[in-house]
Amino acid sequence: MRSECEKIDVDQILDIHLITPPSSSKAIEAALSQNPHLTSLPLPRADVLAPENLFQTSGTADIFRQPEFQNVVVGDFIILPCDLICEVAGESFLEAWMIQHSGLGGASAGSVNHLGPRMGIGGEKGGRRGGLGVWFQTKSETSVKGEETDFLITTPLEPPIVPPPEGSLRSNISKLLYSTTTDTLRDITEEKKNFPIRHGLIRKHGRIRMLTTYRDAHIYLFPQWVLEMVKHNDSMDSISEDVVGWWAKSTWQDGLGDKLGLREVFQTSEDKEGEAGSHHSDLIEEDMDLNSMSTTQTSTLTASSKSPSTPTPPFASRVSTPSSTTPPLNLTITNPPLPIPPMLAYIHPSHASAPLIRRCDTTALLLSISLYLATLPPTSTLSSTETPHPLAPTHRIPPLANIAPRTTISPTSILDINVFVAEKCVLKDCVVGASCVIGSGARLTRCVLMDGVTVGERAQLTGCVLGRRCVVGGAVDLRECEVQPGYVVEAGTEAKGEKFMVFEGLEDDGSDVDGDYEGESGADAERGLAGLSDEDEGEGGGGD
């Protein structure tokens, strides 16, 4: 959150809101007021918004339906996830979106008082904005096994008359046609034994590109009318799969926009904005009947539509009037085609020198990305002519660190303040949080320790993530394990690929759980339950 808030141009952002369920609001507010990394953020300061009916299990699209959210979002808005690591400047995305979707006139923050021209490719009347999302390559040096990916179909935009400048993101922006998770794609192919592609997609876009190793970064730049679209569709639960996915399909699938209620949504947004087109658009519509010039809209002919000055041809008395013998014309009234604003996709380049964009929503990704950031040169070692990395640490080891003699710490390890490391310890490729204590003779390799962790003597940890204020006993041997905050791992424990966690709601009365763990200690039983839950999660697949 710190890096993204710093990189977005604050002159173009009116308000910053942290959306959270009420159960987490107090902890976040305390962190914003006490954590020095958060208190030093530039203005405008972020405020916590905790909708009453938002829960930990609520879908991401359900945030848009909350009355508290709709009251504070009065214009176009940006969505950022809480687990984002991004080296790309935030204003770069904002600039690319504003240029592709009408520039200064069209991207007017949804202000009802905007009087400037509405230009752009967004849709009818030139004033409707589209959206922009960000996707990144998962096959990189920070990739992990089994990482979640998405399936995308894109088509290139028409080349601009003036090519974008060097370093611009616009050269990597395409039009999004289809978006879903790889798990959903796998379910479709297993059910239908293939992946069906509609003919309408091929007819409208003969040049498409399919991507299977990219992932949605959950960085979205949305126009305000997206809120109305979500309100009209109660079945939309996920932003990435439902909101973005259905929106992308509606740009080429005939009739889907009307099924999603976009015609009513656009009409509502036009009524709210008042201004559509240039200053003279209303005068033109008053002088000219544009509906009568349409070649797609028809109406039922009636006798009153005749001009009174047109003479009626005489008929003989034996000939009936045409109105008495000719049946009335029944013409079907068809709606004109509905232009859908495009949903654009920024496909982040995957070459080695490209800036880092990653989601850090699993333990494996937290470990991988933390160790990658530890390899960055600290800012204290750079000269005045060198540009520091935006995510680089200040020091690898604080000047007043308490490090005992005969201790080995690799140059790719980082220690925070108030860390005590006893003698004869070996730390290789590790990230150690503040106020940690590491006993003598401990060997840590590729580990991440949160604040306040205690590691016993002669402990051997490899590829582990230790939560805040947890305690690891002496002479343990843990490999690729995760320890929950506050958990105590008994001395001498040996484990691989397990999760040590506290099971709330279980009474510790010394009795066995259905007799399945008879003869095992409480810690062993908990590890067995943790291993069983991991297998169940692996079989269930991933989520949004």
Side-chain angles (χ1 to χ4, degrees):
M1 180 182 65
R2 172 180 170 84
S3 60
E4 274 307 307
C5 289
E6 285 181 341
K7 290 182 180 183
I8 292 180
D9 190 352
V10 295
D11 294 336
Q12 301 173 6
I13 302 299
L14 303 179
D15 300 288
I16 300 177
H17 305 281
L18 300 179
I19 312 300
T20 179
S23 59
S24 304
S25 60
K26 292 184 179 180
I28 296 178
E29 289 175 350
L32 290 174
S33 59
Q34 301 174 8
N35 192 309
H37 298 289
L38 300 179
T39 55
S40 61
L41 290 175
L43 297 175
R45 297 292 176 86
D47 66 323
V48 178
L49 183 65
E52 181 180 359
N53 296 323
L54 186 66
F55 308 98
Q56 297 288 353
T57 56
S58 300
T60 52
D62 194 43
I63 298 175
F64 293 174
R65 301 186 182 93
Q66 303 300 321
E68 297 88 343
F69 182 84
Q70 297 176 6
N71 291 336
V72 299
V73 178
V74 295
D76 301 342
F77 58 101
I78 303 174
I79 295 292
L80 298 176
C82 60
D83 51 21
L84 176 67
I85 302 295
C86 182
E87 297 178 357
V88 180
E91 59 266 22
S92 300
F93 297 118
L94 187 59
E95 175 186 331
W97 175 70
M98 293 176 67
I99 293 176
Q100 294 292 349
H101 284 298
S102 9
L104 301 177
S108 58
S111 174
V112 295
N113 297 323
H114 174 70
L115 299 178
R118 303 296 181 95
M119 308 168 296
I121 62 174
E124 62 186 68
K125 299 184 180 179
R128 187 161 304 129
R129 280 87 64 196
L132 175 66
V134 178
W135 282 260
F136 62 88
Q137 174 66 265
T138 59
K139 305 302 181 182
S140 63
E141 58 180 332
T142 59
S143 61
V144 298
K145 184 179 180 180
E147 183 177 358
E148 181 182 348
T149 57
D150 293 312
F151 175 70
L152 308 174
I153 300 179
T154 63
T155 186
L157 297 174
E158 296 183 2
I161 300 177
V162 178
E166 184 178 358
S168 175
L169 305 183
R170 286 183 283 158
S171 57
N172 297 312
I173 293 180
S174 305
K175 183 178 180 181
L176 185 66
L177 304 178
Y178 190 91
S179 174
T180 188
T181 61
T182 304
D183 292 334
T184 302
L185 174 67
R186 189 179 298 111
D187 295 339
I188 294 175
T189 53
E190 288 180 357
E191 178 182 357
K192 300 186 177 182
K193 307 304 179 183
N194 57 30
F195 178 67
I197 299 180
R198 290 181 175 268
H199 292 283
L201 173 62
I202 305 300
R203 283 195 300 265
K204 293 187 177 181
H205 304 283
R207 182 185 175 189
I208 61 175
R209 182 185 180 194
M210 297 185 181
L211 306 175
T212 58
T213 60
Y214 283 77
R215 187 183 181 189
D216 190 353
H218 279 229
I219 302 175
Y220 306 111
L221 291 91
F222 282 153
Q224 189 184 15
W225 61 261
V226 173
L227 299 180
E228 296 294 330
M229 180 180 69
V230 176
K231 289 172 60 178
H232 277 68
N233 297 272
D234 295 334
S235 60
M236 289 186 176
D237 183 69
S238 166
I239 296 178
S240 61
E241 194 167 0
D242 296 330
V243 178
V244 175
W246 286 108
W247 179 2
K249 288 182 64 177
S250 66
T251 59
W252 55 265
Q253 184 173 337
D254 295 336
L256 182 56
D258 287 306
K259 292 181 180 178
L260 297 176
L262 294 184
R263 194 178 297 274
E264 293 78 8
V265 169
F266 294 157
Q267 184 62 41
T268 302
S269 63
E270 288 176 8
D271 295 341
K272 289 183 178 180
E273 290 187 4
E275 291 287 337
S278 64
H279 297 296
H280 306 286
S281 60
D282 294 336
L283 299 178
I284 295 176
E285 292 181 2
E286 291 177 1
D287 296 338
M288 303 175 62
D289 185 5
L290 300 179
N291 289 332
S292 64
M293 307 171 78
S294 173
T295 58
T296 58
Q297 184 173 358
T298 59
S299 58
T300 304
L301 297 179
T302 59
S304 59
S305 62
K306 294 183 180 181
S307 174
S309 60
T310 304
T312 303
F315 289 92
S317 58
R318 64 180 183 277
V319 180
S320 303
T321 61
S323 58
S324 62
T325 58
T326 305
L329 296 177
N330 295 324
L331 300 180
T332 303
I333 300 178
T334 59
N335 290 323
L338 178 64
I340 306 295
M343 179 65 196
L344 303 183
Y346 169 72
I347 307 300
H348 190 58
S350 57
H351 52 80
S353 61
L356 176 69
I357 300 180
R358 300 291 290 177
R359 295 281 306 283
C360 190
D361 56 347
T362 64
T363 303
L365 285 172
L366 172 64
L367 177 62
S368 176
I369 296 174
S370 298
L371 297 181
Y372 163 77
L373 297 178
T375 62
L376 301 176
T379 57
S380 59
T381 62
L382 300 179
S383 63
S384 58
T385 59
E386 294 178 305
T387 303
H389 193 279
L391 301 179
T394 305
H395 301 276
R396 292 199 180 278
I397 300 177
L400 301 179
N402 193 350
I403 308 298
R406 293 185 293 176
T407 292
T408 303
I409 300 177
S410 69
T412 54
S413 296
I414 295 180
L415 277 65
D416 207 341
I417 59 175
N418 299 328
V419 173
F420 173 76
V421 182
E423 61 179 3
K424 298 181 181 180
C425 291
V426 177
L427 277 66
K428 182 180 180 181
D429 301 337
C430 292
V431 177
V432 182
S435 304
C436 290
V437 177
I438 302 177
S440 62
R443 299 180 63 90
L444 281 66
T445 304
R446 295 183 60 82
C447 294
V448 173
L449 281 64
M450 303 298 180
D451 296 346
V453 173
T454 300
V455 179
E457 299 180 354
R458 301 185 310 279
Q460 296 189 23
L461 308 176
T462 304
C464 297
V465 177
L466 309 183
R468 299 180 61 186
R469 294 187 295 276
C470 72
V471 178
V472 177
V476 301
D477 187 2
L478 304 182
R479 300 178 182 273
E480 301 176 2
C481 294
E482 176 186 354
V483 182
Q484 190 184 42
Y487 191 89
V488 179
V489 181
E490 295 182 357
T493 301
E494 297 182 1
K496 180 179 180 180
E498 296 185 6
K499 293 182 180 180
F500 297 86
M501 59 185 65
V502 178
F503 291 89
E504 299 179 356
L506 297 180
E507 297 182 358
D508 188 10
D509 56 359
S511 60
D512 299 324
V513 182
D514 296 335
D516 293 337
Y517 293 91
E518 183 177 358
E520 297 184 0
S521 64
D524 293 336
E526 289 180 351
R527 290 200 304 272
L529 289 173
L532 180 61
S533 64
D534 293 344
E535 294 176 1
D536 294 341
E537 291 178 1
E539 294 175 359
D544 184 340

